[in-house]
Amino acid sequence: MNQPDFPEVIPNWIDGCEVKSSAGETFDKLSPATGKELCRVARSRSADVAQAIEAAMKAFPAWSLQTPVVRGEILMAVTRAIGQHQNDIAAIAAAETGMSFNAASAETDAAIAQGKFMAGEGRRLYGRTTTSAVPNKWAMTVREPLGVAGLIIAANTPIANIAWKVFPALVCGNTAVLKAAEGAPATAWFFGKLARAAGLPPGVLNIVQGFGPEAGAPLVADPRVAVLSFTGSTTVGREIARTAGSRLARVSLELGGKNPLVVCDDADLDPAATWVLRSAFSNAGQRCAAGSRIIVFDAVYDRFRDLLIERTRRLKVGPGNDDDFGPVINAGQLDAVLAAVERARQAGASVLTGGHRLDDPAHASGFYMAPTIIEHASPDAEISVSELFGPVTCLYRVPDFSEALRRANQSPYGLTACIHTRSVHRALEFTRRVQAGVAVVNAGTFGSEPHWPFGGVKFSGNGTREPGTEALDVYSNLKNIILTFDPNHV
Ligand code: NAI
Ligand code: MG
């Protein structure tokens, strides 16, 4: 495994150059695995954001007039560079998130797949031709870029989060300002470096480091930013929608989840348990699509609970490839999750396993939490309705299918949902009636692919879908071009 090579201070990328924040301020980025300082990071504010938007504005005319095929070829070169530097990226992402090298490498595969898919859109970017009620007239729709795209992301799967937004935004002909996640600054910086070296023209992708209110909010407020795509919490998403709404900027929001996984009495319990553990605990539960509400039929509840507890106690927590999952992103996040579990306990829930920080010598200095299973939480308790973004899941006992479905839908969120059953009738009825943007049968609550639309209903988003070809609708305008002709003039 490579040791990542960080600059001492992670800079911004503006107009093709690495630049410090204009005030020279920095913040410390700690390693989630050790609690030690990993690097310092440019702490940008509105002046830096304005500079980045300026650069994106300047680069827009040439980039938007470039043919989509050429844009796609440049993005394919960026994608190849990611492949050539996969080990470097994985090492950097692992160091700054605490996930294992192998997990970070798999995430890099997802970013490469996204790059390939979106680069190929340069040769499609289809519109349609259609008819007219009037003789000698026909119509076609074409896609046009919007202008400068403001991209704001979470840290949980850093390279995939970057790829999911940057590739579709750029292939559509927009230029972009990416506000990197403060928890994963180096991955974004390295992406910018690779993109520049692979031939992305200066100013097409600018990357600003810093905190949300200081470096994200000015991007949202700036009237020169035509479209905002945000991946993060519902609270911040609502704030962004409010600000951007007042100037009628387009907004795409990929927000939180409280995703149900139903285990029926006819499910294969062993694979169901495997999928519950992966859904709840992989990436330390830091997934918008994490399975955090496990709804189990009464007939198999006790057996399934015991199986889960036994297998959860065998999970290994740490930063290595042999571990099942790593730390959470920072101390504040760890404290917030621990406090939520404590409040649940006080409200009458039982902690079946976990519920505490790992404080043995191997884990004490990192931000590690034991995998945690909770039962007897009431369906409307705080822990049942609010997203934790940590390795915690709750079990709920239900008598039958209709109560399982009702419980699954009893949530402010509606991102993903899953059912384990051998019955095609239950599977189809569940996928039809569950309120979610993604409905899965006999697998996990997560696992989206680059060519599939992803997004949620209710508080999980505002109805847009990324990536897939649906992302093209976020990042382009449709223009309807009407052609008339006169056969007498031929
Ligand atoms: P967060 O909402 O606190 O931050 C996300 C990003 O927004 C960061 O870059 C942050 O700096 C920025 N930000 C914060 N306040 C801002 C403001 N006032 N204006 C502009 N930008 C601001 O989210 P966090 O805690 O970093 O990530 C976890 C959340 O992200 C969870 O809710 C999770 O479900 C969600 N998420 C959603 C995904 C999806 O595709 N639906 C995927 C991954 C995470
Ligand atoms: Mg947050």
Side-chain angles (χ1 to χ4, degrees), residues 367-379:
F367 312 129
Y368 290 102
M369 180 164 176
T372 301
I373 302 180
I374 290 176
E375 72 172 352
H376 302 142
S378 106

Side-chain angles (χ1 to χ4, degrees), residues 118-281:
M118 282 299 167
E121 281 307 306
R123 290 195 180 270
R124 289 181 294 265
L125 224 56
Y126 295 138
R128 62 191 172 114
T129 59
T130 186
T131 57
S132 168
V134 178
N136 303 327
K137 187 185 261 192
W138 49 299
M140 62 182 178
T141 55
V142 296
R143 289 187 183 277
E144 294 191 328
L146 297 164
V148 176
L151 313 175
I152 303 177
I153 52 174
N156 59 335
T157 50
I159 188 70
N161 290 4
I162 293 166
W164 275 36
K165 295 206 186 303
V166 168
F167 286 117
L170 298 191
V171 80
C172 286
N174 305 284
T175 55
V177 176
L178 170 73
K179 209 296 276 172
E182 58 270 39
T187 306
W189 161 77
F190 196 71
F191 184 94
K193 191 178 156 92
L194 289 181
R196 186 73 196 90
L200 194 70
V204 170
L205 172 64
N206 305 277
I207 302 173
V208 176
Q209 305 284 352
F211 295 116
E214 297 171 359
L219 187 60
V220 176
D222 197 299
R224 295 171 295 176
V225 176
V227 51
L228 286 148
S229 177
F230 172 75
T231 293
S233 62
T234 296
T235 310
V236 173
R238 198 178 276 124
E239 184 63 39
I240 288 174
R242 205 178 283 130
T243 307
S246 70
R247 58 184 181 85
L248 299 181
R250 189 175 300 174
V251 182
S252 174
L253 301 174
E254 302 293 346
L255 308 176
K258 193 75 189 175
N259 309 296
L261 188 154
V262 172
V263 180
C264 299
D265 54 2
D266 63 343
D268 285 332
L269 293 189
D270 208 59
T274 302
W275 282 111
V276 167
L277 298 189
R278 284 186 194 157
S279 300
F281 301 134

Side-chain angles (χ1 to χ4, degrees), residues 28-376:
D28 295 336
K29 162 63 191 161
L30 308 184
S31 154
T34 66
K36 295 205 175 71
E37 182 182 310
L38 201 59
C39 54
R40 285 182 296 133
V41 185
R43 180 168 178 176
S44 311
R45 296 182 188 264
S46 53
D48 306 290
V49 175
Q51 237 186 65
I53 296 170
E54 194 63 47
M57 293 284 293
K58 199 178 78 186
F60 178 71
W63 182 250
S64 60
L65 288 174
Q66 191 65 274
T67 70
V69 174
V70 169
R71 289 198 298 260
E73 280 165 0
I74 294 172
L75 296 177
M76 190 58 92
V78 175
T79 304
R80 274 195 299 272
I82 296 173
Q84 281 151 9
H85 291 271
Q86 181 154 6
N87 286 349
D88 300 319
I89 295 175
I92 291 172
E96 64 182 1
T97 61
M99 70 172 73
S100 71
F101 177 86
N102 284 353
S105 185
E107 202 215 302
T108 311
D109 282 329
I112 292 168
Q114 179 63 242
K116 286 180 181 164
F117 178 72
M118 282 299 167
E121 281 307 306
R123 290 195 180 270
R124 289 181 294 265
L125 224 56
Y126 295 138
R128 62 191 172 114
T129 59
T130 186
T131 57
S132 168
V134 178
N136 303 327
K137 187 185 261 192
W138 49 299
M140 62 182 178
T141 55
V142 296
R143 289 187 183 277
E144 294 191 328
L146 297 164
V148 176
L151 313 175
I152 303 177
I153 52 174
N156 59 335
T157 50
I159 188 70
N161 290 4
I162 293 166
W164 275 36
K165 295 206 186 303
V166 168
F167 286 117
L170 298 191
V171 80
C172 286
N174 305 284
T175 55
V177 176
L178 170 73
K179 209 296 276 172
E182 58 270 39
T187 306
W189 161 77
F190 196 71
F191 184 94
K193 191 178 156 92
L194 289 181
R196 186 73 196 90
L200 194 70
V204 170
L205 172 64
N206 305 277
I207 302 173
V208 176
Q209 305 284 352
F211 295 116
E214 297 171 359
L219 187 60
V220 176
D222 197 299
R224 295 171 295 176
V225 176
V227 51
L228 286 148
S229 177
F230 172 75
T231 293
S233 62
T234 296
T235 310
V236 173
R238 198 178 276 124
E239 184 63 39
I240 288 174
R242 205 178 283 130
T243 307
S246 70
R247 58 184 181 85
L248 299 181
R250 189 175 300 174
V251 182
S252 174
L253 301 174
E254 302 293 346
L255 308 176
K258 193 75 189 175
N259 309 296
L261 188 154
V262 172
V263 180
C264 299
D265 54 2
D266 63 343
D268 285 332
L269 293 189
D270 208 59
T274 302
W275 282 111
V276 167
L277 298 189
R278 284 186 194 157
S279 300
F281 301 134
S282 67
N283 210 28
Q286 299 170 113
R287 290 184 191 281
C288 52
S292 47
R293 296 185 296 133
I294 313 303
I295 299 165
V296 187
F297 279 34
D298 185 39
V300 293
Y301 184 94
D302 292 340
R303 240 167 77 212
F304 193 66
R305 175 191 55 199
D306 294 346
L307 183 62
L308 281 182
I309 295 172
E310 186 223 311
R311 291 184 53 181
T312 298
R313 288 191 175 139
R314 295 209 308 258
L315 292 177
K316 286 168 65 188
V317 184
N321 286 334
D322 295 335
D323 294 311
D324 292 291
F325 67 88
V328 299
I329 193 72
N330 57 43
Q333 181 60 15
L334 177 62
D335 291 343
V337 178
L338 289 168
V341 170
E342 191 45 43
R343 286 194 298 275
R345 219 189 298 245
Q346 275 161 23
S350 336
V351 175
L352 295 173
T353 183
H356 56 86
R357 182 176 187 162
L358 294 177
D359 52 11
D360 58 291
H363 296 95
S365 59
F367 312 129
Y368 290 102
M369 180 164 176
T372 301
I373 302 180
I374 290 176
E375 72 172 352
H376 302 142

